[in-house]
Amino acid sequence: ARGTLHRLLHYFKAEMPSVLLMTIVSGIGVVAAVLAPSYQSKAIDQIVAGSFGSVNPYLVIMAVLYVIYGFSLLLQGYLSTRLSQKVVQRIRADLFAHMIHLPVPYFDRTSHGDLMSRMTNDADQISTVISTSTSSIFSGVLMLAGTLVMMFICSVPLALLSSCTVIGTILLTAFLSHYMAKYYLLRQNLLGELSGKTEEYISNSQTIAAFQLEDDLDAQFIKTADDLTAACITADNISGSMGPCMNVLNNIGFLIVAVAGAWLAIKGQITVGIISAFIVYSKQFSRPITELS
């Protein structure tokens, strides 16, 4: 994985202006998202105190911050899509230039369909990962750091309690990701094998018909297709379980924050506004971990 990441980062260097711009946009969006709950906390405290006239400035600031955050997400989506296409374009060009200089015996012992699958299916997978994950990586890391700082500023005890649920989230993510990677890799390999069989059967259809090998080859194709189907079902089931499991842990975290926050509010150590802000921060803190997983 480390070697693959190093090779992939080589292609990002050529698109460094886009990477820097995405980092700046992500930073602006994260700052807006992190500051908004603090103004929400102040507005709620003013309402509780009965000072309704002092609420409007906080509401205006919150609206501006959330608009900035929304525009930053739109711009991140555009930049990540453009970056993914540029990177995959370079990968495809380098892969094709490498293939045309390979010796003839390599093509004799390697499935043509598998090579085509690398040029198409595998490259598309890289494009999908970059377009959907690049912005999550940039904004997720910044969001984690910024939210954690604001949580400790609001309330150290609540921040420590929230960290306990985060540890459980990280452990669950590591466990599920290990099996997800295994079956997704198997799926790509079987997809390449299936493409190879399809290309070979079509290219050699006359020879197959002449030697009456249709039934044998049909059985081989069905076995590969069945293996691919089973791998896809297993990989997607593991991937699909990630969201519900994370939601359970997040809801447990919300419950802990609500109960502990109410107890601290009764003791007079925090205000109701801080509890409301902390619930938002807990959600902001868990979302990047779920996205990065």
Side-chain angles (χ1 to χ4, degrees):
R2 184 179 301 176
T4 302
L5 181 60
H6 183 269
R7 290 193 297 272
L8 190 60
L9 290 176
H10 170 74
Y11 289 95
F12 277 87
K13 291 180 180 179
E15 302 296 333
M16 192 55 65
S18 297
V19 174
L20 293 176
L21 181 58
M22 185 180 298
T23 304
I24 295 172
V25 172
S26 299
I28 295 173
V30 167
V31 170
V34 168
L35 290 178
S38 65
Y39 287 97
Q40 172 186 311
S41 173
K42 295 176 182 178
I44 292 177
D45 287 338
Q46 292 297 323
I47 294 174
V48 173
S51 302
F52 296 98
S54 304
V55 175
N56 291 334
Y58 297 125
L59 297 180
V60 172
I61 295 174
M62 285 176 57
V64 172
L65 290 174
Y66 281 125
V67 168
I68 293 174
Y69 180 58
F71 275 112
S72 71
L73 292 178
L74 290 175
L75 190 53
Q76 285 178 54
Y78 167 76
L79 292 173
S80 62
T81 301
R82 185 177 184 277
L83 178 64
S84 67
Q85 294 302 320
K86 290 289 186 179
V87 170
V88 173
Q89 178 188 25
R90 295 177 183 274
I91 291 176
R92 281 197 174 110
D94 288 350
L95 180 58
F96 187 78
H98 177 72
M99 287 175 57
I100 61 178
H101 290 95
L102 289 172
V104 175
Y106 177 83
F107 295 98
D108 292 336
R109 63 176 182 267
T110 305
S111 169
H112 296 173
D114 186 61
L115 294 176
M116 293 173 62
S117 181
R118 292 177 185 271
M119 288 287 298
T120 54
N121 296 320
D122 291 357
D124 287 338
Q125 286 291 329
I126 295 175
S127 175
T128 301
V129 168
I130 295 175
S131 62
T132 57
S133 302
T134 303
S135 60
S136 298
I137 292 173
F138 281 100
S139 61
V141 173
L142 296 176
M143 184 70 76
L144 285 173
T147 303
L148 185 62
V149 171
M150 293 301 297
M151 288 169 68
F152 275 98
I153 291 176
C154 290
S155 174
V156 175
L158 289 181
L160 293 176
L161 286 174
S162 298
S163 299
C164 295
T165 60
V166 171
I167 293 174
T169 302
I170 294 174
L171 293 176
L172 179 63
T173 300
F175 176 77
L176 292 178
S177 297
H178 171 73
Y179 289 98
M180 264 174 34
K182 173 183 176 181
Y183 283 101
Y184 274 117
L185 178 61
L186 176 62
R187 186 183 74 171
Q188 290 303 113
N189 290 334
L190 289 172
L191 184 60
E193 182 179 345
L194 192 71
S195 300
K197 291 182 183 298
T198 303
E199 189 275 336
E200 290 173 0
Y201 298 164
I202 294 175
S203 301
N204 301 285
S205 57
Q206 295 180 351
T207 304
I208 293 172
F211 288 92
Q212 297 181 349
L213 300 174
E214 293 91 341
D215 293 339
D216 292 339
L217 297 179
D218 185 51
Q220 295 178 20
F221 184 88
I222 290 175
K223 182 181 182 305
T224 304
D226 289 343
D227 292 341
L228 176 59
T229 301
C232 289
I233 292 174
T234 303
D236 290 341
N237 282 337
I238 297 175
S239 177
S241 66
M242 182 79 74
C245 291
M246 293 299 178
N247 286 333
V248 171
L249 290 176
N250 293 340
N251 291 331
I252 293 175
F254 293 156
L255 179 62
I256 293 174
V257 170
V259 174
W263 184 81
L264 291 174
I266 294 174
K267 294 293 184 179
Q269 298 182 17
I270 61 174
T271 64
V272 176
I274 290 180
I275 297 176
S276 67
F278 217 93
I279 291 176
V280 177
Y281 283 134
S282 298
K283 183 178 181 180
Q284 286 183 349
F285 194 67
S286 59
R287 186 176 66 242
I289 298 176
T290 304
E291 292 177 351
L292 292 172
S293 68

